[in-house]
Amino acid sequence: MTLKNALPQPFAEEHAVNPYPAYRALLDEGDLQRITVRPGLDAWLVLGHDLARQALNHPAISLEARHAQPPVHEAIMAGAMEEKQSFFGQHLLAADGERHHRLRRVMSRALTARRFHSMAPEVDSIAHALIDELPAPGHTDLVATLVVPFTISVLAGLMGVPEPGRELLTELANTVIQGKAEDDAGFAGVISGLTTCFAELLDHPERIAPDGLLAMLVEARSAGTITSEETFSLAYQLFFAGHESSGYLMTNATAVLLSRPDVAAELRAHPELLDGAVEELLRWEGSVKVGSWRFATEPLELGGKRLETGDPILVVLSAANRDPEKYAGPDTLDIHRGGVPHLSFGHGPHHCLGAALGRLEARTLLAALLERFPDMRLDVPYAELSWRHNLIMRGPRHLRVTLGEDRRF
């Protein structure tokens, strides 16, 4: 097949700040486009909303790396180590069929709507305790001083990590979110730190909370439900999903509201609108650009085009969330929008198990910031934020602000 090389490359660094015009240019050519992601890696990009829902739930499209053809396998291996870790992990985002069902059953025991609901008072308390420590009315980087400590505190409680292990997790999370691990050496350091932390905890379950997810993983490993490799891989997945996607969601949402003081003022005056605003912020500036690598397990028709066995597929959630065929004025932020749901948490069997927790964290932190710092402002314009450049995640490395007076005191 001859690829349309004149089409924009939306994952190029030049589009890191604002990839949406590139997504739209591709989508204008059709819901499914094939581009060269990197030399030797020609991938199908699923861009339209309806086609994305179909692809995310298609029985002949798999997340499992074994379906990749050798040249594709090699080309993905030439990418960043973070991308490879996701590609080869023994976790929910690299499994399908019965293996996926088995792993998901283990994880879902701890990730229930009832548990998330019961966590709400604690999550609120964590948010306000961290905000109490901010240097109001001065300057701070909300990523380092608030968002990362908040996500790790909530995540550590869910996992059952004791206090001595939380400092290391916070340090590693800051390394990832601030883009200090974008090269292989940096990311290898993160994996080494996580391996040390999780090995210590999983091999000494008496040190972890008995009702946490780590304890449930240990129990499942002892029962033979999951392997030792799957135990570690699921712990890694929860760490990255629990701080990266949630952390960037809160960072993105805060940055957007600070760049739109009229919207922030409306939410401050009408906090009952916050739930709808979180959904619109997820749609408009979600933290996950694309889903994990997927592969055709057999020849199939998708979007009017023929895909061959082993063809690599990327579902571009950020493009689907701004599909003009599904959303009126898709590039406009409208906290009253309602209607068509977004795809920021995926769709189908791999819909994010932690979606309810992500929503709770975002709603809680935004409500606290809106209440306590009505005069907070960005130290640089929104268009000048330094966005992380990678294939999957979207968010600024830093969010430096002037807090203003804390109205709680």
Side-chain angles (χ1 to χ4, degrees), residues 192-308:
S192 176
L194 286 177
T195 300
T196 299
C197 178
F198 289 145
E200 180 71 16
L201 294 173
L202 293 170
D203 290 343
H204 298 279
E206 71 278 4
R207 300 178 185 176
I208 58 183
D211 62 342
L213 182 57
L214 289 181
M216 294 182 182
L217 292 179
V218 170
E219 180 184 346
R221 182 182 63 183
S222 298
T225 307
I226 58 176
T227 67
S228 292
E229 185 178 2
E230 288 169 342
T231 303
F232 275 92
S233 203
L234 289 170
Y236 290 146
Q237 181 192 356
L238 189 64
F239 170 77
F240 283 105
H243 87 271
E244 266 193 301
S245 56
S246 292
Y248 282 133
L249 165 59
M250 287 178 277
T251 303
N252 296 355
T254 302
V256 170
L257 292 181
L258 290 179
S259 70
R260 289 165 171 75
D262 55 330
V263 177
E266 184 177 7
L267 289 173
R268 196 174 294 112
H270 299 282
E272 70 276 8
L273 298 176
L274 196 51
D275 283 345
V278 168
E279 298 307 308
E280 176 67 349
L281 288 161
L282 276 160
R283 181 198 73 82
W284 197 80
E285 193 68 279
S287 57
V288 182
K289 293 185 289 189
V290 304
S292 300
W293 282 105
R294 286 170 161 82
F295 308 93
T297 62
E298 60 188 48
L300 61 96
E301 294 291 325
L302 187 70
K305 298 179 181 178
R306 179 178 173 83
L307 279 63
E308 301 298 337

Side-chain angles (χ1 to χ4, degrees), residues 55-387:
L56 291 169
N57 201 28
H58 200 294
I61 296 177
S62 173
L63 288 159
E64 296 187 354
R66 63 188 177 90
H67 295 294
Q69 297 291 346
V72 171
H73 188 286
E74 183 178 341
I76 291 177
M77 285 296 293
M81 187 175 179
E82 181 175 2
E83 185 182 322
K84 289 181 281 191
Q85 178 72 18
S86 175
F87 182 55
F88 286 109
Q90 299 293 314
H91 50 68
L92 290 171
L93 295 181
D96 278 304
E98 179 52 38
R99 188 162 71 98
H100 174 257
H101 294 321
R102 174 171 55 83
L103 298 178
R104 194 174 178 96
R105 280 195 299 269
V106 173
M107 296 288 277
S108 63
R109 288 180 55 198
L111 305 178
T112 65
R114 176 180 295 182
R115 179 160 192 173
F116 295 150
H117 179 74
S118 71
M119 290 173 62
E122 179 187 0
V123 171
D124 185 69
S125 177
I126 292 171
H128 282 284
L130 289 168
I131 290 174
D132 287 344
E133 300 299 318
L134 295 180
H139 303 271
T140 193
D141 175 8
L142 287 181
V143 170
T145 60
L146 179 60
V147 171
V148 169
F150 177 63
T151 58
I152 292 300
S153 293
V154 174
L155 179 62
L158 180 65
M159 296 180 77
V161 177
E163 288 293 340
R166 298 184 181 190
E167 184 176 344
L168 174 59
L169 291 183
T170 300
E171 177 185 340
L172 295 174
N174 262 317
T175 298
V176 173
I177 283 195
Q178 294 180 17
K180 300 175 184 176
E182 290 182 354
D183 63 351
D184 282 4
F187 194 78
V190 172
I191 294 300
S192 176
L194 286 177
T195 300
T196 299
C197 178
F198 289 145
E200 180 71 16
L201 294 173
L202 293 170
D203 290 343
H204 298 279
E206 71 278 4
R207 300 178 185 176
I208 58 183
D211 62 342
L213 182 57
L214 289 181
M216 294 182 182
L217 292 179
V218 170
E219 180 184 346
R221 182 182 63 183
S222 298
T225 307
I226 58 176
T227 67
S228 292
E229 185 178 2
E230 288 169 342
T231 303
F232 275 92
S233 203
L234 289 170
Y236 290 146
Q237 181 192 356
L238 189 64
F239 170 77
F240 283 105
H243 87 271
E244 266 193 301
S245 56
S246 292
Y248 282 133
L249 165 59
M250 287 178 277
T251 303
N252 296 355
T254 302
V256 170
L257 292 181
L258 290 179
S259 70
R260 289 165 171 75
D262 55 330
V263 177
E266 184 177 7
L267 289 173
R268 196 174 294 112
H270 299 282
E272 70 276 8
L273 298 176
L274 196 51
D275 283 345
V278 168
E279 298 307 308
E280 176 67 349
L281 288 161
L282 276 160
R283 181 198 73 82
W284 197 80
E285 193 68 279
S287 57
V288 182
K289 293 185 289 189
V290 304
S292 300
W293 282 105
R294 286 170 161 82
F295 308 93
T297 62
E298 60 188 48
L300 61 96
E301 294 291 325
L302 187 70
K305 298 179 181 178
R306 179 178 173 83
L307 279 63
E308 301 298 337
T309 302
D311 275 359
I313 302 162
L314 289 173
V315 181
V316 189
L317 305 175
S318 293
N321 281 339
R322 294 202 187 191
D323 183 351
E325 294 296 318
K326 298 301 292 187
Y327 303 98
D331 294 322
T332 299
L333 180 75
D334 179 4
I335 63 172
H336 303 279
R337 181 180 298 275
V340 181
H342 57 75
L343 295 176
S344 294
F345 291 119
H347 173 69
H350 291 279
H351 184 270
C352 178
L353 275 171
L357 180 59
R359 288 181 167 105
L360 171 63
E361 289 177 309
R363 183 173 65 248
T364 301
L365 198 66
L366 290 176
L369 289 173
L370 287 167
E371 172 195 352
R372 295 184 60 169
F373 296 112
D375 300 320
M376 182 167 57
R377 65 182 185 275
L378 292 171
D379 283 351
V380 299
Y382 186 86
E384 296 178 16
L385 293 173
S386 174
W387 293 80

